Amino acid sequence: MNPPALDARTIVPFLADIFERRGAEEYLGEPVTMAEHMLQSAWFAEREGAGDALVAAALLHDIGHFTSEFGAYSPNDVDDKHHDAAGAEILAPFFPSVVTECVRLHVAAKRYLCASDPSYDAKLSMASRHTLSLQGGPMSETEIATFRASPFYAEAVRVRLWDEAGKVAGMQTRRFSDYAPLLQRVVERHLGSLVSGEKAP
Ligand SMILES: [Fe+2]
């Protein structure tokens, strides 16, 4: 599968299409679909007054579960163990580092919180607790130090808390299309605001 030719004009509609076609898929044993989970995460970010970039990060943090859509991996690749790194890689041509780093670190942030915040473990869903062991368990002291040295570690922790909160069965949220202008703003700001004023060739 060849990667689709995405650019600043097409990336947001492309993401919308993934949410539309694949959003109803199950989210790893949670009582919400993939789309509900990511839309709830974005809503919790918004509710806390997060800026555009962090709302975008919350909304897109699990996009790495859909790597086959980007042609980055085999269409038959159902192994999502590294969906954090894969998601960051997919978004990197269009989104700023704060977004891609929050996506890349959202699994690490869970391991960090489990090691550093005694109250966090109680917030984990059954499925999240199960995957924790597959993801390496709570961080060691050395891993904590490395994680805290990441430039966007504090932002990644915030996104992780919204991620964990976004597993509420039946919760009403905005739709993906409501976030399209916000995502387009983040992309355009990052790529130099060239798109909207550009003339067609
Ligand atoms: Fe998630």
Side-chain angles (χ1 to χ4, degrees), residues 27 37 61-62 106 163:
Y27 174 51
H37 169 58
H61 76 271
D62 271 336
H106 80 272
D163 174 0

Side-chain angles (χ1 to χ4, degrees), residues 27 37-38 41 61-62 65 83 106 160 163-164 167:
Y27 174 51
H37 169 58
M38 295 199 278
S41 302
H61 76 271
D62 271 336
H65 286 293
H83 74 281
H106 80 272
R160 180 69 221 185
D163 174 0
E164 210 55 57
K167 300 174 181 180

Side-chain angles (χ1 to χ4, degrees), residues 69-88:
E69 298 285 341
F70 292 80
Y73 295 79
S74 157
N76 300 320
D77 183 2
V78 292
D79 181 356
D80 58 28
K81 278 201 302 261
H82 303 295
H83 74 281
D84 44 359

